Structure formats: C-alpha cells, structure tokens
Amino acid sequence: MDDLSSSLLCQENDTCLEEGGDELENQLIGSRHDCGVSEDEYVGILVEREIVLGFRRDESLVFGDWVKRARLEAINWVLQTRATLGFRCETAYLSVTYFDRFLSRRSIDSEKWWAIRLLSIACLSLAAKMEECNVPELSEFKLDDYSFEGKVIQKMELLVLSTLEWKMGIITPFDFLSYFITKFCKESPPSPTFSKTMQLIFTTMKEVNLMDQKPSVIAAAATLVAMDQKLTMEEVELKMSSIPQHRLLEPKDVFEYYNLIQRLQEEENKRDTHTPIDVADSSRVTSSAAMAKRRRLTFSDEGSSHGKGQG
C-alpha cells in the first residue's frame, strides 16, 4: 500500500439537527472567508463545481427492486450508526452520496446483500474521515447480520476511492442552506427554518438517488418548502431571481423538486401513522443499457467469508 493510501486508511482514533444547525452555518461562513471571496461568488464557485462532479439525472440508470430495498436498509443503518457514534448529520448525508455515486458507476450482482452492507460501512467510514475530528476504529461500525474484518473494510474503502477517482470533497445541499435561507427571507428567518430544511433533505434522501439532482437544487427546494408550501411556479421563479447565479439554477428543476419533497413528506407522514415503509411499489428494474455502462463489483462471494451473515 502506497503512502497516500496509508495516510487515508490511517489508524483511527478512539474516542442533530437542531444542534448541528448553528455549527454548520458558522462553518459555511468560515469556508467563504477562507476563500477570500464574497458570499455570492463563493456560491457561484460551488454551483460550477456541481456540474463538474456530475450531478445530473441519468434516465438509463434506475436501481432495481432489491437494490432499492438494500439501499433503504443501508441508509437506516447509516442514520442509526451516526446517532450511536455521535457523528454530524452532514457525515451521514455525505456517506449516502458516496454510496449512490459508487452504485452509479459499479453494479452489484443481485441479492449480494453482504456487498451492500460492506459498501455502507466503507462509505460511512470514509465520510467520517472527511468530516469528523474523531473517527472511531473500524470495529465500532457494527452490523447486526455481518461482521467484517478491518482489512476487508479497508479493501472496500480503496475500491470506493478508486471508483470515485479520489474525489471525496463532494458538495452537499448543506453547503447552500445558510445562503438560500438568507436570500429567500426578506426578514430574519424563523429559528426552526434551518433544522426543518435539514429534516426535509433527509426525508428525500431515503427515496431519491442523490446523484439525480444538483445539491443546490435540493437545498433551494427544501428551503422553499420549509418556508412556504403553497408556492406556484411563477412565485418560485421570482424567489430564484434573487440569486445572482439563478441562470445556473433552473427554476423548473427547483419547482419540480419542491413538489417532490412535499409528496415524499406526505407519504412519510402516512407511513409513520399507518403503514410501514414499502419501496417495492415504486420500484423499476435497472435497464440493460445502464448495467452495460457500469462495471461490476469485483469482490467475489468469498469476500463474505470474512464476515458471518444471514442472507
């Protein structure tokens, strides 16, 4: 293993929404000042970087039924582990972005649940190394149904890194929240706006491939829903016109995601009170064209022998 790999796969040290809001807002302001640019210029840089990072809908790529179910289980595990280990909410979101980027580039053979479990650990571990000051040992990333050795997790980390071309400093919707809330509010925004917007973003994360839409669009749409749930297309266009970079942010995309968030929120509320989560109803099968584009995960079934699993 080379020095670069060794430094990233370092010896880990031992060691939410409401609480994370002020901290995140301060970090965003600090990042802008570090760049020595105005707030508008900084957001413009982020929007341009989104395009380079490849956030766009690929109609040929649709996760199959079993991948959607496995992805939902992986996200629930990420959120539970985030709370257990005391990670920031942004770390969880970043890990799911890695997860979706990986699956947009590599396919995993049907029903290989162990590979999805291993991928979720690797993505959360890498996200923690990017976001957290104190990263626990790999043995702390526990699953109920599998137990992977540290060297197996590190091997998957390297596969994720190579698949994502070592581009781990990915933009997320949280990079835009403070800016959009300030721009969309003529007066001082209500105190719950930040945490409510974050909650809406996490609601959609479970149902939507995070590579399908630019983080700025997700952030703008979630902020608008948190402020007003009865906006028309014309009103969204008017709101977006207050953003100097609005030409790079299609109001149509924002309005589409604005409606999607509200629909998903309604479905989430119904599931909480009436029915359990069921992703099978809206599932579609991954097309053969998309499968041909993506490389298969190179781990063989022997990889699961490093852990004990059921399934």
Side-chain angles (χ1 to χ4, degrees), residues 66-261:
W66 89 270
V67 173
K68 285 189 174 185
R69 292 193 298 270
R71 179 183 182 274
L72 184 58
E73 288 186 13
I75 291 175
N76 287 332
W77 175 83
V78 165
L79 295 176
Q80 291 169 2
T81 304
R82 180 213 71 81
T84 300
L85 297 179
F87 291 163
R88 301 163 64 240
C89 294
E90 299 87 312
T91 302
Y93 191 94
L94 183 62
S95 73
V96 178
T97 305
Y98 292 162
F99 187 96
D100 285 348
R101 277 192 77 196
F102 183 92
L103 290 181
S104 71
R105 298 186 177 199
R106 283 184 179 270
S107 63
I108 294 180
D109 289 340
S110 178
E111 306 303 328
K112 284 190 176 179
W113 294 90
W114 66 266
I116 293 288
R117 299 287 200 279
L118 181 57
L119 176 61
S120 63
I121 294 178
C123 289
L124 183 57
S125 172
L126 289 170
K129 289 169 182 173
M130 292 294 295
E131 294 288 327
E132 303 293 334
C133 294
N134 297 307
V135 182
E137 294 182 358
L138 292 176
S139 59
E140 295 298 311
F141 294 83
K142 299 182 183 299
L143 296 167
D144 292 334
D145 49 359
Y146 288 89
S147 178
F148 296 105
E149 295 179 1
K151 62 183 180 181
V152 176
I153 299 173
Q154 289 183 338
K155 183 178 179 181
M156 178 57 100
E157 285 182 325
L158 282 174
L159 183 58
V160 171
L161 289 167
S162 62
T163 300
L164 304 190
E165 300 174 343
W166 292 78
K167 297 176 181 178
M168 310 307 285
I170 297 177
I171 296 169
T172 71
F174 306 115
D175 293 319
F176 299 94
L177 288 194
S178 177
Y179 179 79
F180 283 148
I181 290 173
T182 301
K183 288 292 185 181
F184 293 154
C185 283
K186 294 181 180 179
E187 301 176 356
S188 180
S191 56
T193 301
F194 205 99
S195 59
K196 185 176 181 181
T197 304
M198 291 181 71
Q199 185 62 59
L200 290 170
I201 290 171
F202 274 93
T203 297
T204 60
M205 178 181 74
K206 291 186 177 183
E207 304 293 338
V208 178
N209 182 342
L210 299 186
M211 296 306 297
D212 279 353
Q213 192 53 269
K214 293 187 292 186
S216 59
V217 171
I218 298 174
T223 302
L224 292 173
V225 172
M227 293 179 174
D228 189 343
Q229 299 186 8
K230 297 181 180 180
L231 295 176
T232 63
M233 176 64 189
E234 291 72 22
E235 289 170 326
V236 169
E237 287 180 334
L238 183 61
K239 291 280 189 182
M240 295 305 298
S241 67
S242 66
I243 308 296
Q245 297 80 17
H246 70 277
R247 291 181 180 82
L248 296 174
L249 297 170
E250 284 287 344
K252 178 176 66 67
D253 293 340
V254 175
F255 186 64
E256 179 182 336
Y257 214 88
Y258 171 87
N259 290 323
L260 174 63
I261 290 175

Side-chain angles (χ1 to χ4, degrees), residues 2 37 46 121 231:
D2 57 33
V37 297
L46 293 179
I121 294 178
L231 295 176

Side-chain angles (χ1 to χ4, degrees), residues 58 60-64 66-67 103-110 285-297:
D58 184 352
S60 67
L61 174 61
V62 182
F63 293 152
W66 89 270
V67 173
L103 290 181
S104 71
R105 298 186 177 199
R106 283 184 179 270
S107 63
I108 294 180
D109 289 340
S110 178
V285 178
T286 306
S287 69
S288 57
M291 292 290 287
K293 283 183 182 179
R294 294 181 292 154
R295 294 170 292 167
R296 278 211 173 97
L297 179 68

